[in-house]
Amino acid sequence: MTDQELLARHVAGDPDAFGELVRRHRDRLWAVALRTLGDREEAADAVQDALVSAYRAAHTFRGQSAVTTWLHRITVNACLDRARKAASRRTSAVDDPEDFERLLEPHESAEAPAERQDLHRELLAALRTLPAEQRAALVLVDMQGYPVAEVAKILDVPTGTVKSRCARGRAKLLPMLTHLRGDPGDNTEVDRGRNRSQGTAVPPAAESRDPDAVKGGGGRA
């Protein structure tokens, strides 16, 4: 069954349809939220807010984009709302070593070499210096590997705006991350202007450990 069929069945009253949609897409929504916000609790709350919003507004979906695009748009908007509200009071999660450990996947906390943990720490800290809109664009394009045109739909902005946000974000990150490159000729760490495959040279997305952390779901189409 397609995502759109599941959403239609949910609107028609099927009690299990939306849960299946959540199961299909939660990991990627969680990855976007965690990398955009850099804080596990904030990310979990943002995903839950987004899914509750989507659950309630499913009847407004008109099929003008893919269901996954619609869900990502709602999730990113929830993240941006939280980032803006918390900007003046929230401190970086990577400042506390224990909080930083919780940003890694479970097996990495015990097994990852110190160099890899340091890389994660620097990447996350650098990302947090960017404005929320630039951070969201970079997470979607450079970390999650979405095409610029798809990100434009998710963020509901022109493709030129996505490219501009990514370019400005990369320009700000480059001085902070250039030293992380092992080979001066290797452009894989911070690549200017190209989409990268999902997960390349960035912290892996941690999966939510609580299967009930994001029940329900929903948002605006």
Side-chain angles (χ1 to χ4, degrees), residues 187-204:
N187 292 323
T188 58
E189 289 288 350
V190 184
D191 196 6
R192 228 181 252 278
R194 295 188 308 177
N195 286 4
R196 297 185 341 220
S197 60
Q198 182 179 355
T200 301
V202 297

Side-chain angles (χ1 to χ4, degrees), residues 173-195:
L173 290 181
L174 191 61
M176 290 182 276
L177 301 180
T178 299
H179 67 284
L180 299 179
R181 295 181 181 178
D183 178 357
D186 179 8
N187 292 323
T188 58
E189 289 288 350
V190 184
D191 196 6
R192 228 181 252 278
R194 295 188 308 177
N195 286 4

Side-chain angles (χ1 to χ4, degrees), residues 72-93:
H72 275 75
R73 181 186 306 154
I74 295 167
T75 301
V76 169
N77 284 338
C79 290
L80 294 178
D81 285 345
R82 285 187 167 272
R84 293 185 191 108
K85 290 175 183 177
S88 61
R89 58 179 172 78
R90 179 164 48 87
T91 58
S92 173

Side-chain angles (χ1 to χ4, degrees), residues 134-156:
Q134 290 179 19
R135 195 186 318 157
L138 276 177
V139 166
L140 290 166
V141 174
D142 285 355
M143 296 184 177
Q144 297 302 115
Y146 286 103
V148 169
E150 183 73 6
V151 174
K153 293 178 182 178
I154 292 172
L155 299 179
D156 197 21

Side-chain angles (χ1 to χ4, degrees), residues 110-161:
E111 299 176 8
E115 294 81 1
R116 181 171 175 81
Q117 294 191 16
D118 288 342
L119 172 64
H120 286 201
R121 190 188 306 273
E122 294 198 49
L123 285 168
L124 289 169
L127 268 176
R128 292 200 41 112
T129 67
L130 300 179
E133 288 79 4
Q134 290 179 19
R135 195 186 318 157
L138 276 177
V139 166
L140 290 166
V141 174
D142 285 355
M143 296 184 177
Q144 297 302 115
Y146 286 103
V148 169
E150 183 73 6
V151 174
K153 293 178 182 178
I154 292 172
L155 299 179
D156 197 21
V157 297
T159 56
T161 300

Side-chain angles (χ1 to χ4, degrees), residues 10-34:
H10 162 64
V11 173
D14 186 329
D16 301 318
F18 197 84
E20 173 62 18
L21 271 179
V22 171
R23 186 192 67 77
R24 290 182 184 182
H25 298 286
R26 181 172 55 192
D27 286 351
R28 296 203 79 184
L29 298 178
W30 167 254
V32 169
L34 182 60

